[in-house]
């Protein structure tokens, strides 16, 4: 039964608060658990931190999201349907579970990729069932698996991935609300609240890292909200992609460059733009602020134009991603010049 407008608002607020409280409390527990189990990331030449730090705090995001997001998606107006919500919940648990196991002890890439593919396929089929063709599940699957992994790649400095999740959740919530889907809006806010509960402990200097349980799951959540928004109204795809541009551009261009160079692209490294900036002397907080500035100053206004003028939306998307690629290239060259000056000195 769909609640009234007043009841829906109260229900959404309850889901958001529950997501934050569960996440915040779970991360506090996870810090002690990780220290007790020896789940600690030590500094190294492929990492951007300097102190041994517990990992696995992303379990708080997972639990908070599972409390708030399915409830919002199922009960509030504009629901994608029980089948999609069920598939979303199962997929989230599966991706989180394999990430949690990997945080306890490194797993081979094949079982991780298999679970990611299976979980994402389940969600994609459920979403595509409500569209014009089930074949949409194929491109959705590719996009979903890449979204999971790019968020894993981009979780390398304090607060960056959690900050991006908070931004994406709030921005997507505003977009979905304007489009007439309180269900997706509530889910976006619940995701942001769960990320906030973790961010509090992940601010620089971080008390705990997200781990694969958090980064992979966040990638799935971002993909799920984007895909459900697209299924609700197709013109919501472009603003959703614009909201994720900072992470997509950095992760995709870095991967392509490493593949073209013949590097082992699937192994840990420090070649993303955010990592280069830290290596060249910028603090974690300053780099995260730079990514946030991109989101606020570029993504929000252009995404709003794309939403209000659907005919111009593809062009808006292209402009943002081309500009993002230019910023990525400039940032890399800037870091290289600073490195050359440092070496010559």
């Amino acid at each position: 039964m769909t609640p009234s407008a007043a009841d829906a608002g109260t229900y959404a607020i309850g889901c958001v608060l529950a997501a934050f409280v569960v996440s915040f409390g779970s991360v506090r527990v996870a810090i002690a658990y990780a220290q007790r189990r020896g789940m600690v990331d030590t500094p190294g030449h492929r990492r951007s931190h300097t102190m041994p730090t517990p990992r696995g705090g992303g379990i708080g995001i997972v639990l908070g999201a599972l409390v708030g997001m399915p409830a919002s998606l199922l009960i509030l107006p504009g629901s994608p349907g029980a089948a999609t919500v069920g598939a979303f919940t199962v997929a989230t648990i599966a991706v989180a579970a394999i990430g949690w196991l990997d945080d306890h002890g490194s797993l081979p890439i094949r079982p991780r990729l298999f679970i990611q593919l299976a979980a994402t396929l389940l969600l994609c089929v459920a979403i595509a069932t409500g569209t014009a063709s089930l074949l949409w599940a194929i491109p959705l699957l590719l996009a979903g698996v890449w979204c999971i992994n790019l968020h894993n790649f981009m979780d390398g400095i304090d607060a960056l991935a959690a900050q991006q999740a908070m931004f994406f959740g709030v921005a997507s919530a505003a977009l979905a609300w304007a489009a007439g889907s309180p269900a997706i809006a509530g889910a976006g806010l619940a995701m942001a609240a769960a990320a906030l509960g973790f961010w509090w402990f992940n601010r620089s200097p971080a008390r705990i890292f997200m781990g694969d349980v958090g980064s992979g799951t966040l990638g799935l959540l971002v993909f799920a909200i984007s895909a459900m928004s697209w299924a609700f109204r197709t013109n919501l795809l472009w603003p959703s992609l614009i909201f994720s541009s900072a992470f997509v551009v950095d992760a995709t261009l870095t991967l392509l460059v490493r593949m073209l160079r013949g590097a082992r692209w699937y192994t840990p490294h420090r070649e993303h733009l955010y990592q280069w900036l830290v290596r060249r002397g910028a603090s974690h907080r300053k780099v995260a602020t730079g990514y946030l500035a991109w989101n606020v100053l570029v993504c929000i206004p252009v995404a709003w134009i794309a939403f209000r003028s659907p005919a111009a939306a593809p062009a808006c998307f292209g402009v943002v991603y081309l500009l993002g690629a230019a910023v990525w290239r400039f940032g890399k060259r800037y870091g290289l010049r600073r490195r050359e000056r440092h070496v010559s000195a």
Side-chain angles (χ1 to χ4, degrees), residues 58-285:
I59 189 65
I61 299 176
V62 173
L63 297 176
L66 286 173
V67 167
M69 293 182 70
S72 296
L73 289 169
L74 191 61
I75 302 298
L76 294 176
S79 171
T84 298
V85 177
F88 164 76
T89 304
V90 172
T92 300
I93 293 172
V95 171
I98 196 67
W100 184 241
L101 291 174
D102 191 54
D103 285 335
H104 282 74
S106 185
L107 297 176
I109 189 172
R110 289 184 180 179
R112 286 186 287 144
L113 184 59
F114 174 78
I115 295 298
Q116 292 172 4
L117 283 167
T120 308
L121 179 61
L122 174 66
L123 176 60
C124 291
V125 169
I127 293 174
T129 301
T131 67
S133 173
L134 192 59
L135 292 177
W136 280 112
I138 298 174
L140 285 174
L141 174 62
L142 298 176
V145 172
W146 175 228
C147 195
I148 290 171
N149 285 279
L150 79 83
H151 278 78
N152 182 274
F153 298 156
M154 294 297 292
D155 176 35
I157 63 172
D158 298 346
L160 181 62
Q163 171 189 279
Q164 178 66 22
M166 290 188 290
F167 165 76
F168 181 87
V170 172
S172 296
L175 182 70
W177 184 269
S181 177
I184 299 176
L189 289 177
M191 184 185 85
L196 175 61
F198 168 78
W199 173 87
W200 184 259
F201 300 95
N202 188 236
R203 296 170 300 158
S204 185
R207 293 175 57 188
I208 190 167
F209 292 153
M210 188 177 293
D212 285 357
V213 64
S215 59
T217 305
L218 272 184
L220 180 71
L221 300 182
V222 168
F223 165 72
I225 290 178
S226 300
M228 285 187 280
S229 297
W230 164 77
F232 180 73
R233 275 180 55 178
T234 56
N235 67 307
L236 299 184
L237 173 65
W238 304 110
S240 294
L241 292 175
I242 290 171
F243 292 149
S244 292
S245 58
F247 270 30
V248 174
V249 168
D250 195 352
T252 303
L253 291 181
T254 300
L255 176 68
L256 290 175
V257 168
R258 284 177 58 79
M259 292 177 70
L260 290 173
R261 291 206 331 251
R264 298 176 65 187
W265 53 269
Y266 48 86
T267 58
H269 61 85
R270 291 198 299 168
E271 295 185 24
H272 291 286
L273 175 59
Y274 72 89
Q275 292 168 319
W276 270 61
L277 294 174
V278 169
R279 289 163 62 188
R280 300 301 168 250
S283 67
H284 289 211
R285 184 179 290 110

Side-chain angles (χ1 to χ4, degrees), residues 26-40 54-57 59 100-101 103-104 208:
S26 298
V27 177
R28 287 184 63 90
V29 174
I31 294 173
Y33 175 84
Q35 292 172 337
R36 187 170 64 252
R37 295 294 299 267
M39 295 166 56
V40 177
R55 65 176 179 271
I59 189 65
W100 184 241
L101 291 174
D103 285 335
H104 282 74
I208 190 167

